[in-house]
Amino acid sequence: SQQGEEDPQALSIQEGENATMNCSYKTSINNLQWYRQNSGRGLVHLILIRSNEREKHSGRLRVTLDTSKKSSSLLITASRAADTASYFCATSRYNFNKFYFGSGTKLNVKP
Amino acid sequence: NAGVTQTPKFRVLKTGQSMTLLCAQDMNHEYMYWYRQDPGMGLRLIHYSVGEGTTAKGEVPDGYNVSRLKKQNFLLGLESAAPSQTSVYFCASTQGLAGAGSSYNEQFFGPGTRLTVL
């Protein structure tokens, strides 16, 4: 299975701190994406990093990708209580068609 | 622009009953997907479609059927519901063109259907 695995499963931090979560996967990928899911809601796309990219930024989000280690990390800087959610990585292969999701990291940001 | 909508939002079934979940998207996307989400297991792909009139199996297709008669709609059917199908079901769509890093790969999700089978 190509399914990604996030680490840690749960993370609790204070508002203003940085949150880092990791994703590992098993096979070659076309790109890797991160999604956020608020409780009881659908997933929302955050950021996509291509297989030939090593780092990407979007606002307070920083994503890195190490294809040699088959891993990615998502950093949220200066976290806010509104960042409380579950975060999932998703990978797709070069022949596209399907996405593979990890089991997620549950982030709790305490005000 | 409603994006991806799902009907119904909640449903309770008895074992053996059948039902159809409807997904609709107004973004003219080619690809559509049905996932199920169980506690602590992330999303698992049930079936997907790469265009009108096409369907394909995902990771966990048993017990489900799908149809994509119109480009904007993707239906998920349970012919004989079982308690193991208690889950939250999400529909998603993407424009669908392949290519490294293409923005077409971004998935848009519906709000989900919470299904309980007694």
Side-chain angles (χ1 to χ4, degrees):
Chain A
S1 168
Q2 188 183 327
Q3 189 172 18
E5 292 295 330
E6 285 91 343
D7 169 60
Q9 289 186 326
L11 181 61
S12 185
I13 59 174
Q14 292 292 138
E15 207 166 28
E17 293 180 338
N18 294 342
T20 300
M21 51 206 87
N22 305 294
C23 169
S24 60
Y25 56 92
K26 295 181 181 178
T27 61
S28 299
I29 60 171
N30 178 19
N31 61 65
L32 185 144
Q33 303 176 51
W34 285 90
Y35 287 81
R36 183 187 74 231
Q37 184 181 33
N38 291 92
S39 181
R41 310 291 290 272
L43 279 71
V44 174
H45 181 263
L46 293 176
I47 193 167
L48 178 152
I49 186 165
R50 306 175 188 183
S51 58
N52 61 355
E53 296 177 316
R54 292 297 167 257
E55 187 170 314
K56 202 161 182 181
H57 297 255
S58 177
R60 295 184 295 112
L61 305 180
R62 173 178 169 253
V63 171
T64 61
L65 179 64
D66 186 336
T67 53
S68 66
K69 295 182 179 178
K70 293 186 170 58
S71 67
S72 173
S73 67
L74 171 67
L75 168 67
I76 304 174
T77 60
S79 63
R80 306 165 182 168
D83 295 328
T84 294
S86 291
Y87 292 81
F88 296 88
C89 66
T91 57
S92 66
R93 301 187 69 177
Y94 285 97
N95 60 358
F96 189 54
N97 287 349
K98 292 185 284 188
F99 295 83
Y100 299 88
F101 284 83
S103 52
T105 291
K106 195 166 186 177
L107 174 65
N108 179 34
V109 182
K110 294 176 280 188
Chain B
N1 214 2
V4 179
T5 58
Q6 292 183 232
T7 310
K9 289 186 169 50
F10 302 94
R11 187 72 186 267
V12 178
L13 291 178
K14 294 181 180 178
T15 297
Q17 287 185 320
S18 63
M19 77 163 294
T20 301
L21 283 69
L22 171 64
C23 175
Q25 52 94 5
D26 61 3
M27 297 172 282
N28 201 35
H29 283 172
E30 288 293 334
Y31 290 17
M32 297 186 74
Y33 305 81
W34 275 107
Y35 295 93
R36 60 179 287 173
Q37 184 177 34
D38 301 300
M41 295 191 71
L43 274 73
R44 291 185 291 170
L45 182 63
I46 305 171
H47 286 281
Y48 65 102
S49 168
V50 299
E52 181 179 315
T54 75
T55 62
K57 294 180 180 179
E59 298 174 74
V60 288
D62 294 342
Y64 305 95
N65 56 74
V66 288
S67 64
R68 183 107 181 262
L69 299 179
K70 293 182 179 180
K71 186 177 183 179
Q72 63 269 32
N73 294 337
F74 195 28
L75 278 65
L76 177 70
L78 286 73
E79 290 186 347
S80 180
S84 60
Q85 294 178 303
T86 293
S87 189
V88 181
Y89 291 85
F90 288 100
C91 176
S93 70
T94 182
Q95 190 149 353
L97 296 180
S102 168
S103 62
Y104 296 140
N105 281 337
E106 174 184 348
Q107 286 201 303
F108 293 80
F109 281 83
T113 295
R114 189 172 294 274
L115 175 66
T116 301
V117 183
L118 303 175

